[in-house]
Amino acid sequence: MSFTVGKGQLEEPVELLRIALDERVFVKLKGDRELVGTLHAYDQHLNLIISDAEETLQKAELDEETYEQIVRQERRKLQLVYVRGDTVFLVSPLLRHTGTFL
Amino acid sequence: MLSGEQSSASGPGSTAGEYEGQAPATRTPTHFLRKVLGRPVVVKLNNGTEYRGTLVCLDGYLNIVLENSAEFLNGELKRRYGDTLLRGSNVLYVGTIPD
């Protein structure tokens, strides 16, 4: 069974979010931030209401002795979050993911 | 791997002569993009990330839905997605890639 949306089924791109309502979504945001949570509402700006979210923040630091770049991940839980649309790069419904993820 | 970018300047299977004699309204970027629907494309964002997948849907803002897509950073595969919605404001270009 395929979870992918058949082409021609969507009138406009933002409609993908209507299909994803009440499902888990993956969101990529400005500033190396990522969110995984349940999508409750969206609008044309891609403002999002997401609940039970986990935010992952990537921080790149330079080791002072070896000058090697170290990527550190910080995670935190958010019960309910309003994401402003202009910070969004990408939204992807998790149920529809195929192959490897994360 | 990056061979797709060379073909992005011309439309899918199009030649310059194809548009001759047509009204200017049929030679807009939107018209080009409509012909690319359902084809494999590469979408590059302003932050340098590239997404390759099948173009399912797009609108005037260049909001884009890709199917069976993969994320590349500096030519390196980072992640795969089933369906993904890219926000138009971050899009640098959309190019076709050969099947």
Side-chain angles (χ1 to χ4, degrees), chain B residues 25-94:
Chain B
T26 63
R27 298 183 57 168
T28 61
T30 318
H31 181 75
F32 163 80
L33 287 168
R34 235 180 281 144
K35 293 203 301 185
V36 178
L37 281 178
R39 295 177 58 97
V41 293
V42 52
V43 180
K44 191 159 185 158
L45 303 189
N46 286 325
N47 65 4
T49 324
E50 266 187 16
Y51 295 88
R52 288 159 182 272
T54 309
L55 183 63
V56 174
C57 184
L58 85 169
D59 65 14
Y61 299 108
L62 242 53
N63 290 323
I64 291 170
V65 173
L66 294 181
E67 202 175 58
N68 298 323
S69 53
E71 178 181 292
F72 295 86
L73 189 59
N74 305 321
E76 204 178 304
L77 177 66
K78 288 287 171 194
R79 201 172 267 156
R80 288 182 187 280
Y81 303 97
D83 297 322
T84 178
L85 167 64
L86 301 171
R87 194 177 196 266
S89 60
N90 308 307
V91 173
L92 186 67
Y93 65 68
V94 183

Side-chain angles (χ1 to χ4, degrees), chain A residues 13 41 54 84:
Chain A
E54 184 171 61
R84 192 177 150 92

